[in-house]
Amino acid sequence: MSIDYYEILACLPREKNCDEYEQRKALWDGIDVNGNGFLSLAEISKGIRDVIGVDELFDCTPAINRAFHYSKNRTEGGEQGFDYIEFREFRLFLQTLRMFFEFYQAFDSIDEGDDRKINKEEFANNKDAIEKWVGVIEDMDAEFDSIDVNEGGEILFSEFVEWAMAKDLNIEVEEFANSKDAIERWVGVIEDMDAEFDSIDVNEGGEILFSEFVEWAMAKDLNIEVEEYEEE
């Protein structure tokens, strides 16, 4: 089945500008039928079916679940605990839903048995495709074992996501420094790029992982003055 990614992107207003804020607010209001200001996973799933109305997204349950659990309780001062998303977390949900949806399409293309798991044979059979995504892999067996964190002999979607995020967005010191102008457009002036890098690299691995980048970006986004609007 061919997927219209442009249609899906258009249905997920994720950008931080006034037009997409208004689209996002309208989307939220359409899903939050109770008007109580927070959404459960069931309400989010129903909203993707009934309000967003894209079957490919609604059918991608693993991506919805992953995005929901990744985004909930990401902001301080939440009143509804760990089981709900508030509007201030909704933009992150839409961003991660897009990303996890794309990851799931990749995962599903390898999962030849359609059992939502990837075994070693399936992984090896798709070496060419996988290397197009992440670069050369010298030892497919060793790479498989590094992804299979629970040592179950199969790669679960959650394990695939962690691997894909690390592979896709490991940012080395030189790459970070070379992107100073772009980064400062997002978060303001950075006096010491090396010190800023070190503050993001929480695990001190010498590279910024996607999870570390998200934590830093969220903190910057929530602690600086919002120039155009506030999502509250």
Side-chain angles (χ1 to χ4, degrees):
M1 178 180 63
S2 178
I3 294 175
D4 187 341
Y5 284 99
Y6 291 104
E7 177 190 7
I8 291 171
L9 288 175
C11 293
L12 302 175
R14 312 162 313 286
E15 300 301 326
K16 193 171 182 181
N17 59 56
C18 291
D19 287 343
E20 295 216 3
Y21 171 81
E22 293 300 329
Q23 294 175 40
R24 199 156 48 247
K25 188 66 170 67
L27 189 59
W28 174 273
D29 290 342
I31 298 173
D32 182 22
V33 293
N34 296 322
N36 53 18
F38 56 91
L39 297 173
S40 66
L41 175 57
E43 289 172 315
I44 283 279
S45 299
K46 185 175 185 295
I48 290 172
R49 182 192 66 194
D50 297 342
V51 181
I52 295 179
V54 177
D55 290 341
E56 291 87 351
L57 275 176
F58 176 68
D59 292 339
C60 197
T61 303
I64 297 171
N65 291 346
R66 182 78 181 182
F68 179 86
H69 290 294
Y70 188 89
S71 305
K72 67 179 184 177
N73 205 47
R74 282 279 169 173
T75 58
E76 296 181 4
E79 299 176 356
Q80 305 304 325
F82 294 100
D83 296 325
Y84 301 94
I85 282 181
E86 300 180 29
F87 181 64
R88 69 182 81 185
E89 297 160 330
F90 191 48
R91 185 166 73 94
L92 178 61
F93 169 77
L94 295 175
Q95 289 174 319
T96 53
L97 177 59
R98 178 205 62 79
M99 179 175 65
F100 293 143
F101 176 78
E102 291 180 357
F103 284 166
Y104 190 77
Q105 302 316 305
F107 178 87
D108 190 55
S109 71
I110 302 173
D111 174 22
E112 297 167 354
D114 291 329
D115 55 1
R116 295 187 175 178
K117 293 178 287 189
I118 297 171
N119 60 38
K120 272 195 175 182
E121 182 180 357
E122 292 169 333
F123 192 72
N125 287 345
N126 288 275
K127 185 177 192 291
D128 290 345
I130 293 167
E131 288 188 329
K132 287 179 183 177
W133 305 332
V134 302
V136 175
I137 298 174
E138 298 294 344
D139 187 331
M140 290 294 283
D141 282 347
E143 192 74 17
F144 181 96
D145 291 340
S146 73
I147 305 169
D148 178 23
V149 177
N150 71 359
E151 300 181 354
E154 295 170 314
I155 296 173
L156 306 178
F157 180 60
S158 58
E159 294 170 328
F160 183 85
V161 164
E162 293 299 327
W163 171 76
M165 290 197 302
K167 284 286 186 180
D168 192 34
L169 281 173
N170 279 358
I171 304 172
E172 297 184 357
V173 177
E174 183 178 357
E175 295 171 328
F176 188 75
N178 289 343
S179 301
K180 186 175 192 292
D181 290 345
I183 293 167
E184 288 189 331
R185 284 199 297 271
W186 305 332
V187 302
V189 175
I190 298 175
E191 297 294 344
D192 187 332
M193 290 293 283
D194 285 344
E196 191 74 19
F197 180 96
D198 291 340
S199 73
I200 306 169
D201 179 23
V202 177
N203 73 358
E204 299 181 355
E207 298 175 319
I208 297 172
L209 304 180
F210 178 74
S211 57
E212 295 171 328
F213 184 84
V214 166
E215 293 295 333
W216 171 76
M218 287 289 292
K220 287 286 186 179
D221 191 31
L222 293 171
N223 292 337
I224 62 173
E225 293 183 4
V226 180
E227 296 178 357
E228 297 178 339
Y229 59 83
E230 292 184 355
E231 293 195 0
E232 294 183 351

